[in-house]
Amino acid sequence: MDGSAAGNEVVVTPEPAGTLALGDAPRMDCRNVNVFYSGKQAIFDVSLPIPDRSVTALIGPSGCGKSTFLRCLNRMNDTIEGCRVEGEIIMDGKDINSPVIDPVLLRSRVGMVFQKPNPFPKTIYENIAYGPRIHGLAQGREDLDEIVEKCLKRAGLWEEVKDRLTVPGTSLSGGQQQRLCIARAIAVRPEVILMDEPCSALDPIATARIEELIDDLRKRYCIVIVTHSMQQAARVSQRAAFFHLGKLVEMGDTDQIFTSPRDRRTEDYITGRFG
Amino acid sequence: MSEQALSSFGTDRARKRLRRRRAADRRFKWYGRAAIGFALAALALLLASIFSQALSAATYHVVSFRIDAGRVVAAENTSGALKEVYDQVRADLFEAFPDASGTPAGRQEVSALVTRLAALPIAERLRASPARRGMEQVSLPLSDDVDLYLKGAAARQVTINFGPVAAEPTEDGQGVRLSGAGAFARLIAAASLEHANVTDVSFLVTGGRSTVRLTRLSADEAEGSLIAGTASEFGNRALCARIILAPQSERTVSDRQIAWALALKADGRVRRVPHWSLLTHTDSTQPELAGALAAIVGSFLTLLVTASLAIPVGILASIYLEEFAPKNRLTSLIEVNINNLAAVPSIVFGLLGAAVFLGVMGLPRSAPIVGGLVLALLILPVVIIASRAALKAVPDSIRQGALAVGASRMQTVFHHVLPLAAPGMLTGAILGMARALGETAPLLLIGMVAFVADVPRGPGDEASALPVLIYSWATQAERAWEPMTGAVILILLAFLIAMNVAVVYLRHKFERRW
Ligand SMILES: Nc1ncnc2c1ncn2[C@@H]1O[C@H](COP(=O)(O)OP(=O)(O)OP(=O)(O)O)[C@@H](O)[C@H]1O
Ligand SMILES: [Mg+2]
């Protein structure tokens, strides 16, 4: 995180017991997060530091609260009726849940890619240009064209769509749509990108392309990815966190989690004994 | 496993089950087709009956007169001009039928061919261009009852054309004797088929400008007295017999009037022309003068008020309820009540309108503004429900996608959700408007049934509306109103169909997939 970390006054908190020390101050630091759906608790006291410029994988059996936790990070839970989030999630020294933080601004800094590709039913160009336009990131048409091209290139889609930027984004294939969604997410220059099972609707080739892309994006962004594929988690992530029944069971470097898990449940899950 | 599965396909029981299932499929398809066939047949029947009813109103008969425009223009006011025109028309008719014009009763019978009010548009037109001085050729509609007999559309009337027969004047010179072997068998057959009492039946035989009313009829010979024209006109030409099964005492039109109208027609003074005045005239007590213009304008103004209130309010309410409102007890209570409101009978809205808009707020009676307000309340729930359904149909993933790139709630709704929901919302709005266009009951209660002779100039003026006009014409006793009613129904249907076509077009144009 070196250069960029020097600029902001991140308060480095003591690592929760049982984690490996991080090289840098975390990009986002979650402390004692609890989430309730209409009073029913879905996340129990999760504390998880998320390092910058690396991929953090959230793994765990279905229904354990990975998506719920991910949505806490850009306050998408606000849009769910009856959902209440407790605890602190620190970004740049501020709790993102505090009333002074504008969720709209937060979401422009913490982008999200969903499980099912959801491009806007507008042109490919418009899909990318929309975010920069509403945030005033582009001065004039040329600037916007440049942003669109840059994002599509970074998402590895440029070569495939450069001649048909005016066709609807929904007319692309599933894998292309997902890359378009990633391009759309990075177009607003976020610092963090959240991905909720981004490859679950894709075939192995499209998946491989997205994984390549994630590996590339890691150099600039902090990425949090939810995945059900252990191989994928092992391939793309540097850090991993194992959730079970709403609790964070174990977190650490991916290598360590996959080679020498400390918790029995983690081991069972990774080796496919349950989940 | 697979062997067992295959063999189980082959068993008799499995085959039988399969057969039954296929038969059920086929049966269901036929039920569906039968249901659609029934609906289409009912629609076709409805349209056919309205069309056949309205057909005779598509044209009407007008009589041409020559009028001295100078004398009309010289009149002091419109009523003076009207009197002048009508006097000239009557004088013309008296001249054409001198036999009848000797007595006041006869003169009245002759003048009844053209109603006095029919002269009004002519008088107004001539007064509007005072430079015209010479003789003017003008056309006035024939009185509606006579018109019906000329069209052959009157009740209990049979028209039969038959070939040339020998004709000779009777001894007293007042009548004609027609003879031809078996020439009149068809007349007898046609008359006795429907009516036994032959003395009540009028047999009018017309040749050229002359008509004779038969007093004696056998298969080979017929004799009658002249009621118009001369005996010499009957020989060696095609004749037309009109058998009118209603006795003269029960009709508004006498045999002589029919004969005169036929004489005018033979003179080339009566023409059958398209009934444009149905669209250009306002309501009238005389069917031949009445038109739907005031009602069309009234309906338009009413819908204008309805649309400008119900569409924005309905759409904004649905956007708020669907996209912004918290989902709690209060909003679900509101939702239930909106649904209830949509099911409230329209007459209740009329009562409400009469009590609140007329009684409490003191708005003018019979005005499109009140009608529009009432109809807006009536269709508001429909618009809200349709718009909410359209908004609900937009997948949540679109909203999440927009929120995730940092769009505000408002931006999400207006940039992404609304464009997708717009065709559905528009459809709902137009369907609501179509419902408003056809509503009658609430308008009756706020007095829009009043007779309106002037085209309303604004939503505050007295006005009628198309469905109300249909109602009031349909309840008139005179037979001539019947085809007129049919014609107005067709006008209304044309507007409704135009709206529905707009719906289909919009849906196709803006439909987007995601
Ligand atoms: N909108 C919601 N309202 C109520 N409960 C919810 C909602 N979303 C999730 N939950 C509950 O929260 C718990 C965690 O759900 P979550 O979707 O976060 O699981 P997950 O780990 O993402 O599962 P999966 O791997 O299947 O996606 C579940 O028990 C679920 O029933
Ligand atoms: Mg999930």
Side-chain angles (χ1 to χ4, degrees):
Chain A
M1 172 127 175
D2 43 284
S4 54
N8 47 41
E9 66 283 59
V10 171
V11 186
V12 182
T13 51
E15 296 274 317
T19 59
L20 293 185
L22 293 163
D24 280 307
R27 190 74 196 81
M28 296 185 94
D29 193 5
C30 309
R31 298 173 199 164
N32 308 100
V33 174
N34 290 294
V35 181
F36 304 84
Y37 285 115
S38 319
K40 189 176 139 283
Q41 194 160 4
I43 295 284
F44 297 84
D45 208 28
V46 169
S47 297
L48 179 69
I50 298 164
D52 204 359
R53 309 213 172 198
S54 67
V55 178
T56 303
L58 308 184
I59 56 176
S62 189
C64 68
K66 307 179 295 292
S67 300
T68 302
F69 180 75
L70 196 71
R71 283 198 299 267
C72 293
L73 300 179
N74 64 347
R75 287 183 59 177
M76 282 297 271
N77 279 331
D78 290 12
T79 64
I80 296 173
E81 205 73 39
C83 183
R84 186 161 54 85
V85 179
E86 283 177 0
E88 287 182 315
I89 299 170
I90 308 292
M91 186 181 188
D92 288 349
K94 295 216 175 66
D95 180 8
I96 64 167
N97 285 317
S98 82
V100 297
I101 298 287
D102 179 13
V104 168
L105 193 63
L106 172 73
R107 285 184 205 130
S108 72
R109 298 182 60 191
V110 183
M112 190 161 196
V113 176
F114 298 84
Q115 174 170 4
K116 204 168 145 266
N118 60 345
F120 301 133
K122 300 175 191 277
T123 64
I124 292 175
Y125 185 94
E126 269 307 306
N127 262 281
I128 315 283
Y130 179 70
R133 196 177 284 144
I134 60 169
H135 294 295
L137 296 181
Q139 279 81 39
R141 180 83 193 183
E142 289 87 49
D143 209 11
L144 203 57
D145 289 349
E146 209 173 290
I147 292 176
V148 170
E149 182 176 342
K150 198 176 74 192
C151 293
L152 283 172
K153 273 185 177 151
R154 206 173 281 170
L157 195 59
W158 177 249
E159 289 305 319
E160 287 155 72
V161 302
K162 66 179 175 202
D163 303 323
R164 46 180 180 142
L165 291 177
T166 53
V167 306
T170 40
S171 67
L172 297 173
S173 78
Q176 289 172 327
Q177 286 188 20
Q178 195 62 300
R179 275 179 280 151
L180 180 63
C181 290
I182 293 173
R184 178 178 75 185
I186 57 185
V188 290
R189 301 187 201 150
E191 293 143 57
V192 183
I193 301 175
L194 312 175
M195 299 185 177
D196 194 349
E197 301 180 44
C199 302
S200 67
L202 304 183
D203 69 286
I205 296 170
T207 302
R209 297 215 53 163
I210 303 271
E211 285 179 9
E212 238 170 75
L213 173 59
I214 292 171
D215 207 47
D216 189 43
L217 293 175
R218 165 168 75 89
K219 294 169 195 139
R220 299 161 179 274
Y221 304 96
C222 160
I223 295 173
V224 185
I225 180 171
V226 171
T227 176
H228 276 286
S229 158
M230 292 307 102
Q231 291 88 340
Q232 186 172 60
R235 280 194 300 265
V236 300
S237 71
Q238 288 74 50
R239 300 270 299 167
F242 175 67
F243 283 72
H244 188 234
L245 296 176
K247 297 192 179 77
L248 176 60
V249 172
E250 187 170 349
M251 65 174 154
D253 284 347
T254 303
D255 294 341
Q256 174 258 312
I257 295 266
F258 278 86
T259 51
S260 51
R262 272 183 292 257
D263 196 283
R264 183 65 203 274
R265 288 167 292 181
T266 317
E267 192 181 343
D268 285 351
Y269 182 71
I270 288 166
T271 53
R273 270 198 280 273
F274 80 91
Chain B
M1 266 302 264
S2 68
E3 260 175 27
Q4 198 185 351
L6 270 179
S7 71
S8 79
F9 273 135
T11 62
D12 271 355
R13 270 186 55 205
R15 263 205 297 274
K16 222 159 114 192
R17 211 166 43 229
L18 201 63
R19 243 196 332 269
R20 266 211 305 278
R21 217 162 54 192
R22 287 215 186 106
D25 273 10
R26 255 199 313 275
R27 247 193 337 268
F28 184 76
K29 260 187 230 158
W30 278 110
Y31 291 156
R33 282 176 198 153
I36 290 174
F38 177 74
L40 284 182
L43 186 70
L45 193 70
L46 176 83
L47 284 180
S49 94
I50 297 174
F51 261 109
S52 65
Q53 189 190 56
L55 202 61
S56 75
T59 57
Y60 69 156
H61 288 94
V62 294
V63 195
S64 62
F65 293 96
R66 289 183 68 75
I67 299 281
D68 182 352
R71 276 160 60 200
V72 179
V73 173
E76 266 175 27
N77 50 24
T78 312
S79 72
L82 167 62
K83 184 175 181 318
E84 183 56 48
V85 173
Y86 195 55
D87 282 350
Q88 289 190 40
V89 164
R90 279 170 26 144
D92 197 338
L93 288 173
F94 296 155
E95 201 177 311
F97 308 111
D99 308 354
S101 305
T103 61
R107 277 205 293 278
Q108 193 168 359
E109 209 178 334
V110 171
S111 351
L113 285 176
V114 175
T115 37
R116 186 183 156 79
L117 271 177
L120 185 59
I122 308 287
E124 281 172 345
R125 202 181 70 214
L126 290 179
R127 271 175 64 81
S129 49
R132 299 160 101 157
R133 292 283 150 164
M135 295 299 280
E136 285 267 339
Q137 173 103 11
V138 297
S139 292
L140 275 74
L142 209 50
S143 163
D144 60 287
D145 300 307
V146 184
D147 179 55
L148 280 184
Y149 280 102
L150 283 200
K151 285 173 182 164
R156 304 163 76 190
Q157 180 193 5
V158 185
T159 305
I160 294 173
N161 291 306
F162 62 104
V165 291
E168 54 176 7
T170 51
E171 289 69 27
D172 59 0
Q174 299 292 309
V176 182
R177 184 175 303 121
L178 306 167
S179 51
F184 309 106
R186 276 166 63 213
L187 270 65
I188 295 172
S192 58
L193 254 181
E194 299 189 31
H195 207 274
N197 187 358
V198 182
T199 55
D200 280 346
V201 176
S202 295
F203 285 87
L204 307 183
V205 176
T206 309
R209 37 183 338 268
S210 302
T211 300
V212 65
R213 186 181 198 278
L214 298 188
T215 48
R216 209 163 52 74
L217 180 62
S218 69
D220 303 323
E221 204 179 63
E223 194 181 301
S225 52
L226 276 169
I227 51 175
T230 57
S232 57
E233 276 201 273
F234 287 91
N236 288 322
R237 68 188 310 164
L239 300 178
C240 177
R242 285 183 172 72
I243 307 165
I244 299 160
L245 297 165
Q248 283 203 67
S249 57
E250 288 177 17
R251 301 187 237 136
T252 48
V253 181
S254 68
D255 288 345
R256 286 210 292 183
Q257 285 174 318
I258 297 172
W260 294 330
L262 290 169
L264 288 172
K265 191 173 178 185
D267 284 344
R269 290 180 61 183
V270 172
R271 281 175 305 133
R272 198 167 177 171
V273 297
H275 199 165
W276 292 122
S277 65
L278 201 56
L279 292 173
T280 57
H281 279 192
T282 58
D283 201 2
S284 166
T285 50
Q286 304 299 323
E288 71 269 29
L289 302 176
L293 181 64
I296 292 174
V297 175
S299 266
F300 175 76
L301 290 171
T302 307
L303 283 199
L304 209 65
V305 174
T306 305
S308 54
L309 194 74
I311 293 178
V313 171
I315 285 181
L316 289 179
S318 65
I319 291 174
Y320 175 74
L321 283 174
E322 200 55 42
E323 302 288 334
F324 294 95
K327 305 272 175 293
N328 55 27
R329 249 208 221 131
L330 183 68
T331 45
S332 59
L333 190 76
I334 289 173
E335 180 166 0
V336 167
N337 279 304
I338 287 172
N339 291 341
N340 284 342
L341 219 52
V344 170
S346 57
I347 197 150
V348 177
F349 283 93
L351 285 171
L352 171 97
V356 176
F357 297 128
L358 302 184
V360 178
M361 294 169 67
L363 290 171
R365 264 183 84 76
S366 317
I369 176 104
V370 181
L373 286 172
V374 170
L375 292 180
L377 291 183
L378 179 73
I379 67 163
L380 197 57
V382 180
V383 174
I384 293 179
I385 290 170
S387 301
R388 289 189 69 175
L391 289 169
K392 263 201 190 90
V394 176
D396 240 1
S397 62
I398 298 294
R399 293 185 186 83
Q400 286 172 354
L403 289 173
V405 295
S408 68
R409 203 80 174 264
M410 182 107 171
Q411 286 171 328
T412 303
V413 170
F414 281 87
H415 296 164
H416 299 282
V417 179
L418 274 192
L420 293 175
M425 296 172 110
L426 224 62
T427 305
I430 295 178
L431 288 180
M433 297 303 289
R435 167 146 187 228
L437 178 60
E439 267 311 330
T440 321
L443 300 185
L444 293 180
L445 283 176
I446 58 143
M448 278 185 86
V449 72
F451 180 84
V452 178
D454 294 319
V455 178
R457 281 155 200 282
D461 287 359
E462 259 200 356
S464 181
L466 280 172
V468 180
L469 190 72
I470 291 170
Y471 170 79
S472 56
W473 284 7
T475 48
Q476 300 266 14
E478 251 179 294
R479 205 184 131 79
W481 290 107
E482 201 177 279
M484 304 276 289
T485 311
V488 181
I489 293 176
L490 284 185
I491 295 174
L492 182 64
L493 281 183
F495 282 118
L496 288 174
I497 289 170
M499 287 170 122
N500 286 329
V501 167
V503 166
V504 173
Y505 172 75
L506 287 171
R507 209 181 283 159
H508 274 275
K509 181 150 198 270
F510 294 112
E511 194 165 57
R512 268 192 273 196
R513 285 177 304 117
W514 47 78

